Amino acid sequence: MSDEKPPQLVDYFVVAGLTDTSRPLEEENQQHRPARPSEPITDVAVIIRSQGEEVPHGFTCIETTTSGHPVDLNAGLLNNPQMFICYKRGRDKPPLIELGVHYEGKDRPKPGYKILDTTPYSRSANLNSGGPGHQRTFLTYRRAAEPHGHNTLGVTDICLIMPSKGESTPHTFCRVDKNLNTSMWGPALFLCYKIAMAKANTLVYEAGLLGRYPEQDSESFPLPESVPVFCLPMGATIESWPADTKYPLPVFSTFVLTGASGDKVYGAAIQFHEAFPRERLSEKQSLRLGLLSVVDRRPVAGRSLQTRKSICVLSHWPFFDVFRKFLMFIYRYSISGPHVLPLETHISHFMHNVPFPSPQRPRILVQMSPYDNLLLCRPVSSPLPLSGASFLTLLQNLGPDNAVALLVAVLTEQKLLIHSLRPDVLTSVGEALVAMIFPLRWQCPYIPLCPLALADVLCAPVPFIVGIHSSYFDLHEPPRDVIFVDLDTNTIFQSEERKLLSPRSLPRRPCKVLLTSLHNLSQQLDEMYSGPGEEASLELLLSDAEAARGRRAQLELEARAAFLRFMACILRGYRSFLCPIALAPAPAGRDAGSLFALQGFLKSRERAYHRFYGQLLRTQLFTQFIEDCSFASDRDPCLEFFDTCVDKVQAELEKPEDTPLMELDDPRGGEHTVFITPPEQPAGPDGAELPARYRYDGFPTLRPELLEPPRDPLVAQLCQARSSAPSSPAPRRTKQEMKVAQRVAQKYSSVPDMWAKCLLGHCYGLWFLYLPTHVRAAPAKLRALQLAYEVLRKMEAHKVVLPDEVCYRILMQLCGQYGEPVLSVRVLLEMKRAGIVPNTITYGYYNKAVLESKWPAGTQSGRLRWAKLRNVVLGAAQFRQPLRQRERRAAAAAPPGGRAPTAPRPSLQRQTTWAGRSLRDPPPTPRLVKSGSLSFPGGTHGEGGRGVLEEPPTTRPPPLPAAPDPLPPRLRGPPGSADGSLSDVSFATDESDRADEGPVGGTPRRGLATKLQQLLSPGKRSPLRPATSAELPTGPRDATDAACLRRGSEQRDGEPPPRRSPAETLLRPRERPESTASESSVSLGSELDLSDTSVGSTGVPKSSELPADGAAGQEPPAVEVLLSSCSRCQGCGALVYDEEVMAGWTSDDSNLNTTCPFCSRSFVPFLSIEIQDFQLPPSAAEDGSLPPPAVQGPVLSDRRRCLALDEAEPELCNGCPDTAVPRRSERVAFAYLSPLVLRKELESLVENEGGEFLAQPELVDSHPIIYWNLVWYFQRLELPSNLPRLLLGSQHVALAPQAQAPDSPCVRVRLLWDVLAPERDACPPLYVLWRRHSNVPTLLRSQQPAGHHISLTFLEAVLSHVGLNEVHKAIALFLETPAAPGGPQNLQRSIYREILFLTLAALGRDHVDIAAFDKKYKSAYNKLAGSLGKEELRRQRAQPPSSKAIDCRKSFGATLEC
């Protein structure tokens, strides 16, 4: 909901180090290697023993290789000089940090390296001194810079190897790839060295928690207990240094903690040293640290004692660079001073007052001090999971070939151990390894920076990805079945027990494209960081540093896209092998073998790569991937994005596609930057600055009283909460679906018929977004779901363009929520029938619905027996049909008053499925009301609970009963039958002949097959909704209204409506329902009714027939709402009607404008609303004075009767008493939104406020634009909703006391084609003048014409030309007589609109084919364009509507009135 807190940048601040309870990490108890060297190598030398040179004092000579073979640098030469390499350890000078081999004349000397050209005895140190023709070769080395710290990295070991003897580079050693023996004879010899920290006098303990903020755990994320050991992965140490040793720089490291649910927490820490008091040491500890002499236990002078600490921040966001700057500032603050503000103030200020970047403010500039600041940018909006991966770091440390080799290792779930001396690199590379296999997700142990205390995980018998500091190998023997990845030496070590698959086992073309892309990226990286170090650093520090970061971010994106393309190629077509659950699931329904056709997928791949695919299919990676694709999860948006990538790639190509797979938004694209100032310094009593009194000897213990509370108002203003998950995640479209919908709209915006269907699809999407709210409020859930299913079927029948799968997805989710798995299966079949392949999100909700819902009983034997019995009984009744026909012929010869002949019975249908019919067959046309039980009801109302209607003695239509009988009269028992036995039913044929005489039973006779289908359908069935007194008419005219309602219902069920001749229509008044909630299904008697379901409306039963929107009753509606979308162009003043507004909309879901068809200018259309409140004031309600009931009257097509009625009863308005005057009337206007714009706004509203907000009256007042547009579209498409009732609780309506009754007043909504309030100086429309000349009142009082000069002769002349198919003469009549006294003046409507409305008003809607009229008018326009020109006709507004507008009217249906 909107009141949830915004994302927090930092969750915890932690201080870790040595505590009193820290346990020692004893090396003696571990399986460790021989003692590591305590001192680094500081010098190397070359000696020539054949010249009598001896090993210098303090040096060690290398005489054998790693396998024990004797080593001689010049072996094989005739004059073998017997040269050897020696090295020396010590701490008297900076250690060596790199070794090399220099070929004189061939290599250029490297900067910083020194060439060892002489021996200690001043002879030449040329390693190939056999003769003048040999290549001169020398050793080179590079020394650490002064001053060096105690823990400076250096060379700790040197060895020589002979590959010809089967020797390989030792683990953790660096190899110099230059042969020391360049002669033609002798084996190749290579130099290897190891870089490590040579430590002495060090005690290692498990790190503990020294301090934290906040002190209390958060409910959503408590502080893990293992955080201190991750802050100091190699333990909290106590070290003894020489007194003059310099402090080393702080070491930055990152780590990742993975929760049980798979969510990640990122940690950033820096490690530093500070003084440790000797008083806290025991004698044993002092001895081990070298602080006491071994013999007499005297203190050793010239030594200092240090301990290692760490400060850390925990966050759910991988802002590692930002956290590093913040931690370094805090560390520098703690070792400097004095300060005015305490350290705690800066910590609490950063945690509470630095907001998370929002889309509106993507940049946060934090000024921590006058000299320290940091820039916080919003993360890149990506469909991929959030990660701290750096693919460029992976390429820089391993190279393209090793990166592909590791990809194979991760895909086949190997044991990977990544190690480096740089702890900050481990997390970036580890995150890259698990991110490169997207959409697969690593399921095994994953610790990118593993503490020494948790190193036992390396012995686990399961695959893992673990990163560890390289000094671990100085203490422990590495496992034998692990693949080692050394980031410092760019090497991968494989044991004999576990060999990797070769990259050749990967599909050739995708692997080739991947390698080519990675090599190109690696080359670009080398170019970025090539040249001397000083130049490279200057480039990054100058003004183009921002461009350099942008370039690196672009390369990072390209690297990730390269791996994404590879995964899309190897998994292409996987969705066709998913197996949906179509029956009641078995206990093993979640098994991957039942959800995915593994063998079919394997056979679809090339045989050469079956070994790789076979291992991939057996991994936990793939099993979890199939489960994620089959069931709804939080990864659905990511998987849906991957599906779009699969559709884009072409695996047979040997180069990347031109279309990029990843289109990311730039988070720094916004110009808004929030500036966060440093904490305010307190002032003294007289305004003077307070003295600086905070100074620290080491990092202090956090004092709670100095931590400032958060400034909530500031954070609330600067950072709005990211929209929380709505109450139902299904309605939310993914960003990928939004982009696809945008592209589809852009494509169809230039195709008239497809644009109309595209708009219609978005309108139905609006209703399905509202569907969860509607079903939640519906008393019969199954009935509401079945109604939505029928909407889907009609959408498919009318070829509606659906921009996405949200409609199907929502219905599937609701089926699972309300336990209807069978209906969910039908929805999936509808999707496949429509040619839509469900994406990952929809497929997940489908499987969840069918798996978690309770299925109906599998045994249908009882239902089948009842079906057979019913077929026998009803079949016997069919055989009696000739007897009834004979009786009819006899009755025809009788006097009048006999029974009308009945229609033949529908034939029996065979039971094809357990549900009564095949799912592939269309539903039968006739429908029956479901029986309350399997036994046939009978008897009287008192005995059987259901009354039997008797035929009324009069010939007028009888009133409806209180509840319709669920069975046809022919199956009803006789009045004397109380038990309803089958014998009574089988012979009750005399009463069945009365079924067609009138609406006696309230429901016409239905088909037999449909009744059997409903009686045999399993699952829940909603009980028949009893008609309330407010819904059922009681008078004679009410019965006529009921007949109208039934006729509309029968037409929707497929039964053809009774045809009337034009003469009969003109002479007989057409029935009209008195109260409808959605719109008035009236003829053009008073309001130009344009309702015609044959035009193309794809709606369902009108909302007026549903109890949610009001019911037909005796009393007028409490509130009537008139809606019109006709808008006036601000440029030319012309009226633009609904279909023209739709045609002028664009595909941009943020553009509110439409285009005027006359002047081509853009303007914002408006919905005009008039709210008429008919509720009685409280005094009248208490007195009981009610208005008289409304009666029916004739229609305008029967002009003579209208005139006669007008003369006889001037107080009536079209047969309705003029006393129905609203007590209160209000007129408002709001923007008329395109369905694309409205859907975007509605999704945002549902996401922020929740779906329940759509059922609250506050929606009307707080979001009126969304509310009124939804009401308009739902009523336009005749879709049921409870939105009109929300108006009763808004500020627009003053509720009367009787509104609190259980039967709340109804709201009637009428959609008008024309404007509600015409301009005063404009000429009234011709159809209104026609009514005026015919003395027929208009619907709107504001349309009363006054002072017009258009004669009846002009109107009759226009109608005469139209009637004679001379539309061009009618147009010419408009054009030739503009200034005549009797001609039109200042017409706001186009000539087409005036002629159309006048024709409809004069002839009636049933006698005008609008499509045929459009063709005639267009033909007449083309005829006149040849003589007058199209520009002149356009200036006179005589052009016909565009094909876009016509298609919009056909798609939405001409269901408006005016």
Side-chain angles (χ1 to χ4, degrees), residues 297-353:
R297 308 296 175 91
R298 291 182 179 181
V300 178
R303 307 292 295 182
S304 64
L305 200 59
Q306 309 293 330
T307 184
R308 186 162 52 184
K309 275 188 178 181
S310 175
I311 55 176
C312 165
V313 291
L314 291 181
S315 173
H316 285 80
W317 308 95
F319 293 122
F320 292 144
D321 292 337
V322 173
F323 297 150
R324 180 179 57 82
K325 293 180 180 180
F326 168 69
L327 292 174
M328 290 300 295
F329 167 75
I330 294 296
Y331 170 71
R332 289 195 304 268
Y333 197 88
S334 67
I335 61 177
S336 61
H339 306 285
V340 177
L341 294 176
L343 184 69
E344 290 83 351
T345 301
H346 289 277
I347 296 174
S348 58
H349 173 76
F350 184 81
M351 294 185 62
H352 295 303
N353 300 327

Side-chain angles (χ1 to χ4, degrees), residues 34-94:
R36 59 183 175 181
S38 60
E39 295 177 338
I41 295 176
T42 57
D43 287 298
V44 291
V46 176
I47 62 173
I48 306 175
R49 287 188 173 176
S50 61
Q51 300 291 335
E53 297 181 358
E54 299 294 334
V55 178
H57 178 71
F59 279 73
T60 302
C61 181
I62 304 176
E63 298 184 355
T64 60
T65 64
T66 56
S67 303
H69 298 282
V71 60
D72 189 352
L73 299 181
N74 290 303
L77 296 179
L78 296 177
N79 54 346
N80 185 1
Q82 297 181 1
M83 304 184 70
F84 295 89
I85 298 177
C86 305
Y87 61 87
K88 179 184 178 182
R89 300 181 184 272
R91 293 187 179 272
D92 54 338
K93 60 177 68 175

Side-chain angles (χ1 to χ4, degrees), residues 785-816:
L785 294 177
Q786 290 175 339
L787 177 66
Y789 174 69
E790 293 299 326
V791 171
L792 286 178
R793 299 193 62 185
K794 292 184 179 181
M795 290 162 57
E796 176 192 348
H798 290 82
K799 306 299 180 183
V800 175
V801 177
L802 291 178
D804 45 57
E805 305 172 15
V806 172
C807 300
Y808 298 96
R809 189 185 309 158
I810 292 176
L811 187 52
M812 287 178 178
Q813 186 203 19
L814 293 176
C815 290

Side-chain angles (χ1 to χ4, degrees), residues 629-864:
C629 293
S630 301
F631 305 101
S633 66
D634 55 350
R635 301 186 69 232
D636 286 345
C638 301
L639 298 178
E640 194 268 340
F641 164 73
F642 178 74
D643 290 343
T644 61
C645 295
V646 172
D647 298 335
K648 290 180 182 179
V649 298
Q650 300 178 15
E652 65 277 1
L653 296 180
E654 295 190 1
K655 63 177 182 178
E657 292 77 12
D658 297 332
T659 305
L661 296 183
M662 300 176 63
E663 301 174 0
L664 304 183
D665 303 328
D666 186 8
R668 293 165 290 277
E671 299 179 356
H672 299 283
T673 301
V674 177
F675 182 75
I676 304 298
T677 59
E680 297 181 1
Q681 295 186 1
D686 54 352
E689 294 185 0
L690 294 178
R693 58 190 182 93
Y694 291 100
R695 187 180 185 91
Y696 308 99
D697 296 332
F699 199 87
T701 303
L702 299 180
R703 297 166 59 184
E705 65 273 9
L706 297 179
L707 294 166
E708 294 184 353
R711 290 183 287 177
D712 290 333
L714 175 65
V715 177
Q717 293 176 4
L718 295 181
C719 176
Q720 298 296 329
R722 273 196 319 175
S723 53
S724 58
S727 56
S728 172
R732 180 170 44 189
R733 286 185 298 174
T734 63
K735 292 185 178 181
Q736 209 60 30
E737 287 178 320
M738 294 180 183
K739 292 180 180 179
V740 172
Q742 189 72 15
R743 288 196 292 265
V744 170
Q746 291 176 357
K747 176 183 177 182
Y748 290 153
S749 60
S750 58
V751 185
D753 57 335
M754 299 306 296
W755 173 246
K757 293 181 179 180
C758 180
L759 291 179
L760 192 62
H762 280 279
C763 289
Y764 280 108
L766 291 171
W767 185 74
F768 276 93
L769 283 176
Y770 172 77
L771 182 62
T773 305
H774 179 70
V775 175
R776 195 181 303 115
K781 312 297 184 184
L782 178 57
R783 182 179 179 184
L785 294 177
Q786 290 175 339
L787 177 66
Y789 174 69
E790 293 299 326
V791 171
L792 286 178
R793 299 193 62 185
K794 292 184 179 181
M795 290 162 57
E796 176 192 348
H798 290 82
K799 306 299 180 183
V800 175
V801 177
L802 291 178
D804 45 57
E805 305 172 15
V806 172
C807 300
Y808 298 96
R809 189 185 309 158
I810 292 176
L811 187 52
M812 287 178 178
Q813 186 203 19
L814 293 176
C815 290
Q817 182 178 351
Y818 295 103
E820 294 296 334
V822 178
L823 185 58
S824 183
V825 175
R826 294 177 180 175
V827 174
L828 180 66
L829 294 178
E830 285 298 321
M831 286 191 69
K832 294 185 176 180
R833 191 176 294 113
I836 302 175
V837 179
N839 61 15
T840 302
I841 305 177
T842 308
Y843 191 77
Y845 278 106
Y846 165 77
N847 278 331
K848 183 178 181 181
V850 299
L851 187 67
E852 297 181 359
S853 301
K854 182 179 180 181
W855 283 70
T859 57
Q860 301 292 332
S861 57
R863 294 181 180 271
L864 292 177

Side-chain angles (χ1 to χ4, degrees), residues 89-101:
R89 300 181 184 272
R91 293 187 179 272
D92 54 338
K93 60 177 68 175
L96 304 181
I97 58 176
E98 196 167 356
L99 297 176
V101 176

